[in-house]
């Protein structure tokens, strides 16, 4: 083999050696960005709570006789006598080790308090996510490239997306609980008690996802492979569900991952409307009492869910879509 061909062979093989490294750096960048967003959320939550009106010491004193000695003892016990920057650094160090402190009002471990109320909230958020996905897929598949169906779906999606979840929950309660008496008004006793809350929380999210999914599905149906499959006599429904939907799913999956963080915060409000157990009541009581450790723990949990889901969706897109991988290779 001549010496002139050797550099050519090396130059051809070189990009293949760099590709995994480039993709790994892109994934590491996504994870690092998620960590920075989480740190910013923790910092902003800490500052916002301290800027809120009211005196924490007064809340901790309660009905006791307020004297300088008692105030000094309370400040020393809760670390409130330190400078604000020391409290902030100390808090960051503790939450990195899973210690969220103790509740000012309930005098219990915040981590245990949040964990005890987390399951009902996650159950509601998961059911709402299922409603969102089912609604989006059904509406997109049934209305893509169908003029009248698309017009009706656009109106319905606009109505649902612009309606606050708590207002939709009140309407559903009035119709299906107070009037028709099909579902319970409040509580979390059985599956029936989960239906209306998950609908009020998930339909608005599903309306947004269905718009993106239908647009991608229409683009996929116009591709040559869809036209070829229909020319072979394959039924249109099979083409939509088995072939076109897979090509149109990535933007919708990306948007769904971004909306998951909103489901958790929306679940807190929805729980109040339907009087469900969960983080909703704990959060409202903590905000009204300025119970800073509890408020910060719930805020950090919401930010963590959002960051984790967004990062996972970004990484999933890099692993699935060859175009994103080729872009990472070029960079």
């Amino acid at each position: 083999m001549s010496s002139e061909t050797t550099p050519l062979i090396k130059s051809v093989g070189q990009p293949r050696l760099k590709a995994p490294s480039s993709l790994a750096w892109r994934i590491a960048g996504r994870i690092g960005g998620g960590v920075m967003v989480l740190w910013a959320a923790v910092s902003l939550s800490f500052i916002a709570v301290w800027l809120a009106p009211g005196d924490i010491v007064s809340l901790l004193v309660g009905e006791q006789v307020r004297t300088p000695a008692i105030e000094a003892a309370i400040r020393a016990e809760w670390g409130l006598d330190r400078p604000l920057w020391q409290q902030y650094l100390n808090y960051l160090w503790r939450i990195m080790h899973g210690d969220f402190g103790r509740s000012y009002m309930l005098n219990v471990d915040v981590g245990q308090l949040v964990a005890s109320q987390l399951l009902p909230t996650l159950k509601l958020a998961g059911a709402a996510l299922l409603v969102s996905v089912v609604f989006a897929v059904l509406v997109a598949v049934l209305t893509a490239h169908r003029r009248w169906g698309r017009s009706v779906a656009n109106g319905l999606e606009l109505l649902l997306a612009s309606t606050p979840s708590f207002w939709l929950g009140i309407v559903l309660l009035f119709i299906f609980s107070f009037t028709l008496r099909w579902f319970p008004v409040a509580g979390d006793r059985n599956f029936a008690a989960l239906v209306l809350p998950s609908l009020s929380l998930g339909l608005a999210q599903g309306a947004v996802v269905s718009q993106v999914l239908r647009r991608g599905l229409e683009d996929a149906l116009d591709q040559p492979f869809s036209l070829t499959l229909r020319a072979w006599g394959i039924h249109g429904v099979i083409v939509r569900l088995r072939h076109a939907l897979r090509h149109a799913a990535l933007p919708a999956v990306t948007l769904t991952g971004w909306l998951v963080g909103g489901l958790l915060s929306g679940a807190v409000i929805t729980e109040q409307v339907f009087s469900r157990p969960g983080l909703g009541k704990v959060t409202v009581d903590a905000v009204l009492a300025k119970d800073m450790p509890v408020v910060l723990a719930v805020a950090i949990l919401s930010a963590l869910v959002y960051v984790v889901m967004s990062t996972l969706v970004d990484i999933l897109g890099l692993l699935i879509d060859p175009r994103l991988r080729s872009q990472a290779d070029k960079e």
Side-chain angles (χ1 to χ4, degrees):
M1 183 179 293
S2 64
S3 60
E4 296 180 355
T5 59
T6 303
L8 178 61
I9 295 175
K10 291 182 179 181
S11 63
V12 172
Q14 189 173 4
R16 295 185 180 180
L17 296 176
K18 286 185 177 181
S21 177
S22 179
L23 180 60
W25 275 109
R26 177 66 71 89
I27 294 176
R30 290 287 194 273
I31 296 176
V35 173
M36 294 300 296
V37 171
L38 184 59
W39 169 75
V42 172
S43 303
L44 290 176
S45 299
F46 183 88
I47 295 172
V49 171
W50 275 103
L51 291 179
D55 182 18
I56 296 177
V57 177
S58 299
L59 296 173
L60 293 174
V61 170
E63 299 180 355
Q64 304 180 54
V65 178
R66 184 167 183 172
T67 63
I70 293 179
E71 291 183 7
I74 290 177
R75 291 182 183 277
E77 179 182 359
W78 294 94
L80 301 176
D81 56 341
R82 303 174 184 175
L84 186 58
W85 66 269
Q86 288 187 6
Q87 297 182 42
Y88 169 71
L89 293 178
N90 181 55
Y91 185 75
L92 284 181
W93 176 258
R94 286 192 290 106
I95 63 174
M96 288 174 60
H97 294 79
D99 181 10
F100 291 89
R102 300 186 66 81
S103 168
Y104 290 161
M105 297 295 99
L106 302 177
N107 197 25
V108 297
D109 183 76
V110 173
Q112 295 179 0
L113 176 64
V114 172
S116 65
Q117 300 297 321
L118 184 59
L119 181 59
T121 300
L122 291 180
K123 183 166 63 174
L124 174 57
L129 179 62
L130 179 62
V131 169
S132 301
V133 173
V134 172
F135 177 85
V137 172
L138 286 178
V139 172
V141 170
L142 294 176
T143 61
H145 272 332
R146 290 170 179 166
R147 180 178 178 184
W148 294 108
R150 181 175 182 177
S151 300
V152 173
N154 281 332
L156 179 61
E157 290 163 353
L158 179 61
L159 176 64
L160 291 175
S162 58
T163 302
S165 59
F166 68 87
W167 190 87
L168 181 59
I170 293 174
V171 173
L172 293 176
L173 276 175
F174 177 77
I175 297 175
F176 295 103
S177 295
F178 295 111
T179 304
L180 298 177
R181 301 183 183 276
W182 289 356
F183 299 99
V185 176
D188 187 28
R189 295 185 299 274
N190 49 34
F191 174 77
L194 187 62
V195 174
L196 295 185
S198 60
L199 287 176
S200 65
L201 183 59
L203 286 178
Q205 309 279 24
V208 177
V209 176
S210 65
Q211 293 178 341
V212 177
L213 184 59
R214 180 170 58 252
R215 188 176 299 111
L217 190 59
E218 290 176 345
D219 292 340
L221 290 173
D222 292 334
Q223 297 296 320
F225 76 89
S226 297
L227 300 177
T228 302
L229 290 173
R230 287 198 295 268
W232 287 350
I234 300 178
H235 196 276
V237 175
I238 298 178
V239 173
R240 289 168 180 255
L241 291 176
R242 187 174 179 178
H243 301 281
L245 187 61
R246 181 177 57 186
H247 289 267
L250 184 58
V253 169
T254 302
L255 180 61
T256 301
W258 180 74
L259 292 175
V260 165
L263 286 176
L264 185 61
S265 58
V268 172
I269 301 175
T270 304
E271 286 171 351
Q272 294 298 294
V273 175
F274 291 90
S275 299
R276 291 178 54 85
L279 293 178
K281 187 176 185 305
V282 172
T283 303
V284 172
D285 292 343
V287 170
L288 294 177
K290 202 180 179 183
D291 196 344
M292 188 179 70
V294 179
V295 174
L296 286 174
V298 175
I300 292 170
L301 176 63
S302 301
L304 178 63
V305 172
Y306 173 77
V307 168
V308 169
M309 292 304 302
S310 300
T311 305
L312 288 178
V313 168
D314 287 343
I315 294 175
L316 184 63
L318 290 174
L319 297 177
I320 292 177
D321 195 335
R323 295 169 297 180
L324 297 178
R325 291 203 300 270
S326 62
Q327 182 180 359
D329 296 340
K330 293 179 181 179
E331 297 178 358

